[in-house]
Amino acid sequence: AAAAALSMTMTSFAAEPYESYIYDTWDDAIPSQNAYRIDRTVTGADMGLARLADPTDALYIEGASTSLSNPKDLFFDPDEKIFWVADTDNNRVLRLDLDLQVTGVYTGVWGSSEINVGEDGESKFASPSGIYSKRSLYTNDLYIYIADYDNSRVLKATVDSDRKLSLVQEYTKPDTELYQVETFNPSKVIADLAENVYAVCSSVNTGSVQFNKDGEFQGFYGANRVEVTAAVVAQKLWRKIASNEQIAGMTRNVPVEYANFDVDDDGFIYTVTEAANTTTDAVKKLNPAGYNIWDNAAGDEYTFGDIAAEYDATTNSSYSTRLTDIVVSDNGIINVLDFSTGRVFQYDRNANLLCIFGTKNSTNDQRGSFSNPNAVEAYGNNIYVIDGSKNDITVYSETTFGKLMHQAVELYDEGRYTEAKPIWEDVIKRDGGYPLAYIGLGKAALNEGEYTKALDYFETAYDQDDYDKAFKYAREDFVEENFTVMIVVLIV
């Protein structure tokens, strides 16, 4: 198991309440430097939620709670430079500035909705579980999208003030035979540049529910495939010889619904599936047609989360990886949150594992650890994780090692191997076992025609594919340099 291999070797690396590690070519966990450190934890008090109880404050709400209660989503709007929090059990949405200070609080929407309307005319939220915001390319309005779970709707609204949202569109259960689920309980929501809305709904395993900007149901987007297991294969074979009565009594094999998603600047939608230890479609990168460009059926190897991890020596407990959220940074870095362990798995845009950080501690008394990690976000060099039990946000900042590694990775992903070379050398000075650094140095040597040196780097990283390429070039170079001698020897 991942953590078991590290329990006796990580002491020199650990400066946080977790032990950083990474996987080598054989999928074994090896020690690694911390790429992130815990900067701070922010509670409702730290956010300034006491303002809600101050009658003299513009944000005052009679009887309002001054702490978070089971917040289930956190979203950062990179254009507006604001954070949004779905404060689920308080039935409200919070707006925070870059310092995570509250600047707006919303308990519902105003407009033509007839759902859960209070005496004051506001349509109140009921367990808002997902939130997203985007400025419209058509109207330049800032639209807020809210997955209003218990009200069975998705809302699209504009911000009128620090206390008021005006309803633009309400998306409810599709009235069509194509939608065969009895309920419509959206837990997460995003929108693309064309203002199509995608909602993850409980009990819907055919993909996210898609609407156009006018509220018309467009179908389902990006369904997962059925996990291929021995039991599934056996049942498929048995169906070929079973009677109709036997087939009717068999359990149906259906795809698992995904838990969360994010959309990058290029319009690709990334999804994560929270089913324990799933490998099929655990993380997907979907194009506009809903096709997964990381399709393992094409022969590519993509692994996310812990590899075959079942036992964690640091907590003396067994666990199953459950990927619950994903966020793509502006620079293309992908962060995936594991609910089971509280770990964040970070990948570059080509799905190469960069680092692992974070931990889970159910006692709630360890700073920077999680009890119920519900959402992960990214802004600049920081990573943010919101906890639904501790009711706080943990802020991670880059270490020197993390900063160097990210600089080198960005150049590496752009194919600027020679420019990345001195940075990779600094990375190795801090972590002599970091596999991607040796691959990066090997690419630089290959680019500079130093094939023997490239072979050494690729051998160190046990990168067989790149080693074969370097060996081919080294052989051709040797033949070219010694061609005359070889001909003379051959003639003799």
Side-chain angles (χ1 to χ4, degrees), residues 23-24 59 66-67 83 109 111 137 147-148 160 216 253 265 271 295 306 340 359 361 367 373 379 383 406 423 447 455:
Y23 288 102
D24 62 16
L59 296 183
T66 58
S67 61
F83 288 90
V109 293
L137 293 177
D148 198 8
D160 284 357
E216 298 170 343
N253 296 308
D265 292 338
T271 70
D295 186 354
D306 273 324
S340 293
T359 189
N361 187 328
R367 175 182 176 270
Y379 164 60
I383 303 296
H406 288 137
I423 308 177
N447 198 45
L455 286 170

Side-chain angles (χ1 to χ4, degrees), residues 358-373:
T359 189
K360 196 169 186 178
N361 187 328
S362 59
T363 61
N364 284 355
D365 60 357
Q366 189 177 41
R367 175 182 176 270
S369 65
F370 307 112
S371 180
N372 287 299

